Amino acid sequence: MSVPEIVSVGTDGARPEHVRGRAAWFKRLPVVHQVRQSVGLQRGMLVAGLVLCAVFVLVALGADLLAPYGWSQLRDSETAFGAQQPPSAEHWFGTTVGGYDVLSRVIWGARTALLVVIVAVAASLVVGVLLGLVSGYFGGWLDRVLVLVADAIYAFPSLLLAILLAIVISGGQSSMWGGILAAALSITVVFVPQYFRVVRAEVVRVKAEAFVDAARVLGTPHRRIMTRHVLRNSVRTLPLIVTLNASEAILTLAGLGFLGFGIEPTAAAEWGYDLQRAVADVTSGIWWTALFPGLAIVLAAIGMTLVGESLNDLADPRLRTRARSGVVSGAVAATSVESAQSPKEDA
């Protein structure tokens, strides 16, 4: 490695804006910036997680085009599919004990999971951030009550709490959108304390800063201080929690469906329900009904977990600096070896 290459490794991020060229805006995009910032195994984990998440989202959005059949379809224009048929040219992943096409159920289940993740994470993010902002900024008896409630919910087993809420909201079974909203709201109650505690801790720290005191002295209203000064400096770690909660939402949804408290099979496809129906098939040697729904759950959860863990590592300046210094030191060592070998070759 030459000396100019070493300089580019250590000082690329410090170049002036006009030197970076026309593609600088693309390099500053959130995902692209994190990928360029990561190195080694950290970059591999992040890229693998992004690929899995992209496949999951694309499959969910394109379910109408990718799925050969509907989620509750039992026959084509000529004959019925048949129950527990092995993988074949007509049914790539085989059929279930109920006669549904496994591939179609897996693809449509991705859409159901994506809708639940979006609704659950968005609702918990809004409620948790709002409560954490109000509690941390004003304090007092309201802060003590909210902290007590959040700790009580956080100490309760999350899956059991989701089951209880699913029963209360929908009676355990419901239509497609009713089941999605019931599952999402059940997961929302589990996630709200996490956002509340993180945002509240950051708000308590930020409101003691000098610029917040200066805004109060100038007579700035509380609402403007909370939204413009405090909130903007208290949500930096939320993207990390969102990615980790997304994977937990998929697992919680699968757990609800596996235990029979999810969405009705004729209303929408759901991976947890399909996995529960396939338990008895495994002992009979019928592996395809359980393999593909279980694999979909694992890959979707692993993809979001890899993204969240990689972003968490990149947010830690100690890990980021250590990885970057390792790359630079390796480049310096390679150059030293080359420079030491050059006189020998000349001799």
Side-chain angles (χ1 to χ4, degrees), residues 40-63:
L41 179 61
Q42 189 181 73
R43 174 174 292 182
M45 292 174 56
L46 179 57
V47 171
L50 290 174
V51 170
L52 291 175
C53 291
V55 171
F56 168 66
V57 173
L58 291 176
V59 169
L61 296 178

Side-chain angles (χ1 to χ4, degrees), residues 128-146:
V129 169
L130 180 61
L131 292 178
L133 179 63
V134 173
S135 177
Y137 184 81
F138 291 106
W141 65 269
L142 178 62
D143 179 45
R144 291 192 293 270
V145 171
L146 291 176

Side-chain angles (χ1 to χ4, degrees), residues 56 105-107 109-110 113 250 269-276 293 296-297 300:
F56 168 66
R105 296 280 298 180
V106 169
I107 293 176
I250 292 179
E270 203 278 303
W271 293 334
Y273 173 85
D274 293 340
L275 194 60
Q276 187 271 338
I297 296 172

Side-chain angles (χ1 to χ4, degrees), residues 34 55 87 90 119 122 160 172 178 180-181 228 233 300 313 329-330:
Q34 268 77 26
V55 171
E90 293 78 13
V119 175
L160 182 57
I180 289 175
L181 291 177
R228 186 175 181 83
N233 293 281
D313 292 343
S329 61

